Amino acid sequence: MAYYFKLGQIPPKRHTQFRQPDGSLYKEELVSSKGFSGIYSILYHTHNPNEVKAIGQPIPYSWEAAKDHGLKQTHLKTSGVETTGEDYLSARRMLMMNNDVMMGICTPRKRKMDYYFKNADGDEIIYIHDGEGILYSQFGKLEVKKGDYVVIPRTTIYRFEFAEDGPLRLLVIESHGPIETVKRYRNEVGQLLEHSPYCERDIRPPHELVVEAEKKTHLVQIKKQGFLHQYTYGHSPLDIVGWDGFLYPYALSIHDFEPITGRIHQPPPVHQTFQAWGFVVCSFVPRLFDYHPLAIPAPYNHSNIDSDEVLYYAEGEFMSRKGIDRGSFTIHMGGLPHGPHPGTVEKSIGAKETHELAVMLDTHRPLFVTTDALEFIDKNYPMSWTE
């Protein structure tokens, strides 16, 4: 959840008459989570949001776990990928998955979507590794840029328009459950506390409504249960004159995450940024290293007995591993210890700070690489600790 926000025109009382200039009623829509028990927003449409003109043939849209990958520490080398597909949906390649979450990359050739997308299966985090642009949704216009986490609640109808110049690289996380701010950072009414590494000022909601009130058909592709369902509506989904509530897409820059440091090496939970059912997301950002006189800045060896750990390397030098590039994924599976590359522990002693940027996904249930990931696997990585 973020915080209460409103844009545009809304009536003084919910579920009451709210009329258009011609005397007809605006069409009220409640968008709610957990039935009627979770966060929600109320939207006011110029047209009926149920005005479907045509339903096309569903298009298969899913990923499959690689059955024979086995128990291996894994490095996916995606740094050299220039494009993964033609447009935003065809370019989404999920590389890891379980019943709670999927994670992958998206580098589309086309920078503008000529359709709208609705994910009815899960919430999304789109991390803008490279590029900038605008997210258009029924909640309004949201400018996004390199380093942003863009959190998009399920059933949000949206399209991206990215700048034509420069590289474009997206990291995509899709969650079966709601993506939320971290519970221990919040007080009993949901406000982020003083010890939180970010606050409400850092969260950027849509800032301007884009009202497309004309009657014209628009395609919305809806992801649900392994298919893209093709729905054509008689008007734009951006016909909202106002809304208010707690449920909406927002952006949070990784550069606004304030690191928590200590005299000795701090464990990954201090980097936690989001929580969801079955996993957490952490941000590793530029920070001062540990300042105990005998501190070892490099992370210690760790045997994770009940979680799988994924690190996506975004920027900088990663002192604990060799052979890791910008855009690499490392996957450390439960049941195996992992840690620094040989020689990097001693080398780290005396270092004062790091300038790395990385996104971490920790799952509470086993994570599987997909068949799409097989072409990126570094076959030498499982044995790299013996170098």
Side-chain angles (χ1 to χ4, degrees):
M1 64 178 290
Y3 51 85
Y4 175 79
F5 195 73
K6 64 180 178 180
L7 268 182
Q9 310 167 54
I10 58 174
K13 192 78 172 174
R14 58 187 175 183
H15 316 322
T16 59
Q17 296 179 34
F18 181 34
R19 297 192 177 274
Q20 302 188 38
D22 65 3
S24 63
L25 289 168
Y26 286 110
K27 282 67 177 177
E28 184 183 57
E29 179 189 11
L30 172 71
V31 181
S32 66
S33 62
K34 301 178 184 177
F36 290 86
S37 301
I39 61 172
Y40 64 90
S41 288
I42 299 176
L43 293 71
Y44 294 90
H45 294 261
T46 303
H47 306 296
N48 188 336
N50 304 307
E51 189 183 337
V52 179
K53 292 298 184 183
I55 302 176
Q57 191 69 21
I59 300 170
Y61 193 69
S62 62
W63 291 267
E64 180 182 353
K67 296 183 175 65
D68 301 323
H69 181 64
L71 181 63
K72 299 185 186 77
Q73 308 291 25
T74 302
H75 173 206
L76 303 180
K77 302 178 71 171
T78 67
S79 58
V81 175
E82 293 184 2
T83 182
T84 53
E86 187 63 25
D87 68 5
Y88 178 69
L89 291 182
S90 64
R92 284 164 70 124
R93 298 187 65 183
M94 294 303 185
L95 306 179
M96 293 146 275
M97 64 185 296
N98 64 18
N99 288 336
D100 300 318
V101 63
M102 295 192 293
M103 186 182 200
I105 55 176
C106 179
T107 56
R109 289 189 186 90
K110 292 177 65 174
R111 300 299 180 100
K112 296 182 180 180
M113 298 166 62
D114 55 8
Y115 55 84
Y116 287 92
F117 175 54
K118 177 198 284 190
N119 192 332
D121 281 329
D123 287 23
E124 298 177 340
I125 297 175
I126 311 297
Y127 176 73
I128 313 293
H129 191 177
D130 285 316
E132 61 181 21
I134 298 173
L135 174 74
Y136 292 96
S137 76
Q138 70 264 52
F139 297 95
K141 178 180 177 181
L142 176 60
E143 295 174 356
V144 299
K145 61 185 184 302
K146 181 176 179 176
D148 279 348
Y149 292 107
V150 186
V151 181
I152 306 175
R154 74 197 60 217
T155 78
T156 300
I157 303 172
Y158 72 88
R159 61 181 170 86
F160 274 114
E161 287 190 7
F162 291 105
E164 294 292 341
D165 297 331
L168 176 61
R169 181 185 293 263
L170 311 175
L171 175 68
V172 179
I173 299 172
E174 180 181 316
S175 171
H176 178 68
I179 293 170
E180 302 172 334
T181 57
V182 182
K183 185 177 180 179
R184 68 177 181 276
Y185 297 159
R186 297 187 247 119
N187 61 25
E188 66 274 11
V189 295
Q191 184 180 17
L192 291 166
L193 292 163
E194 279 290 295
H195 68 267
S196 171
Y198 57 90
C199 72
E200 287 83 0
R201 295 184 190 183
D202 301 316
I203 293 172
R204 307 192 323 267
H207 62 88
E208 177 186 343
L209 283 176
V210 178
V211 184
E212 300 174 350
E214 75 279 6
K215 298 283 283 186
K216 178 183 175 183
T217 59
H218 289 263
L219 174 65
V220 179
Q221 299 198 56
I222 303 174
K223 180 181 178 294
K224 185 72 172 180
Q225 297 176 334
F227 291 90
L228 287 174
H229 301 271
Q230 310 296 299
Y231 270 66
T232 300
Y233 289 85
H235 58 84
S236 169
L238 274 60
D239 69 336
I240 307 296
V241 297
W243 65 271
D244 76 333
F246 284 74
L247 188 148
Y248 50 85
Y250 64 88
L252 170 69
S253 175
I254 195 171
H255 301 294
D256 287 328
F257 185 90
E258 299 300 333
I260 298 170
T261 60
R263 274 176 31 102
I264 58 174
H265 191 83
Q266 299 296 294
V270 303
H271 306 288
Q272 188 178 350
T273 312
F274 302 104
Q275 67 180 32
W277 298 348
F279 71 94
V280 300
V281 174
C282 301
S283 302
F284 290 83
V285 301
R287 61 196 182 277
L288 294 177
F289 277 141
D290 329 307
Y291 47 89
H292 187 284
L294 298 179
I296 300 175
Y300 37 77
N301 291 299
H302 176 216
S303 185
N304 34 318
I305 63 173
D306 54 6
S307 66
D308 287 0
E309 300 178 10
V310 180
L311 205 61
Y312 178 75
Y313 298 83
E315 311 289 348
E317 295 292 330
F318 301 94
M319 67 171 178
S320 62
R321 296 300 304 165
K322 300 175 184 176
I324 297 298
D325 298 318
R326 184 180 189 271
S328 285
F329 293 85
T330 56
I331 310 166
H332 300 128
M333 297 179 175
L336 295 173
H338 64 277
H341 202 105
T344 59
V345 173
E346 193 72 42
K347 185 179 177 181
S348 76
I349 294 174
K352 300 300 183 184
E353 59 185 344
T354 177
H355 297 284
E356 68 188 14
L357 279 177
V359 177
M360 186 177 190
L361 175 77
D362 262 20
T363 65
H364 306 323
R365 292 196 283 185
L367 193 66
F368 303 95
V369 299
T370 66
T371 53
D372 276 31
L374 296 179
E375 68 179 275
F376 303 116
I377 287 178
D378 174 2
K379 295 181 180 179
N380 297 320
Y381 186 72
M383 303 302 293
S384 62
W385 280 267
T386 61
E387 294 178 5

